[in-house]
């Protein structure tokens, strides 16, 4: 019997597809047709999210091997909400950009844990022995 159910594998693939399509529609147009040729923090974010979209496509074929990508997706969104959106909401209030970003980010914080196989992650990422720093010659 498989460690992860077929349903869970399909849910993982659906999440990778949602990320890839969502970012393809929202981020890739500004990568292909940049509004300017100036490098700044926005271009770094677009590049990072563009790479996330491309790597998510690998998750369609290899859903378990690409789990660190979904774990990264969850962690960065939780960090952004806790470190930036929450203090802004409690202080001066959210502006239009922060409100829109909070909604999109919160959707990820809700949906990603629903598809993650936490038992598998615990066994393969936290309880499994680490890879030795140096392997013996063969």
């Amino acid at each position: 019997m498989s460690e992860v159910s077929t349903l869970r594998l399909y849910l993982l693939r659906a999440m990778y597809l949602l990320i890839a399509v969502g970012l393809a529609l929202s981020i890739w147009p500004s990568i292909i047709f940049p509004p300017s040729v100036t490098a700044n923090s926005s271009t770094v974010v677009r590049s990072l999210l563009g790479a996330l979209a491309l790597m998510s496509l690998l998750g369609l074929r290899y859903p378990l091997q690409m789990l660190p990508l979904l774990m990264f997706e969850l962690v960065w969104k939780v960090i952004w909400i806790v470190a930036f959106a929450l203090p802004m909401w409690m202080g001066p209030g959210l502006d239009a950009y922060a409100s829109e970003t909070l909604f999109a980010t919160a959707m990820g914080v809700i949906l990603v844990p629903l598809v993650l196989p936490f038992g598998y992650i615990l066994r393969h990422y936290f309880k499994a022995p680490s890879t030795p720093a140096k392997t013996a010659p063969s």
Side-chain angles (χ1 to χ4, degrees), residues 42-120:
S42 293
T43 60
V44 173
V45 170
R46 282 193 298 254
S47 298
L48 177 74
L49 293 175
L52 181 65
L54 292 176
M55 297 303 292
S56 291
L57 293 174
L58 278 176
L60 297 174
R61 182 169 175 137
Y62 306 107
L64 294 177
Q65 291 89 332
M66 295 305 291
L67 278 174
L69 195 67
L70 289 181
M71 293 160 52
F72 171 78
E73 177 80 353
L74 179 62
V75 170
W76 85 254
K77 288 180 176 198
V78 168
I79 290 172
W80 186 84
I81 289 172
V82 171
F84 300 103
L86 190 58
M88 192 175 178
W89 177 68
M90 291 171 52
L94 299 173
D95 59 18
Y97 174 80
S99 293
E100 183 180 321
T101 305
L102 177 58
F103 177 78
T105 306
M107 291 307 295
V109 170
I110 293 166
L111 294 176
V112 171
L114 293 176
V115 303
L116 287 178
F118 286 103
Y120 181 92

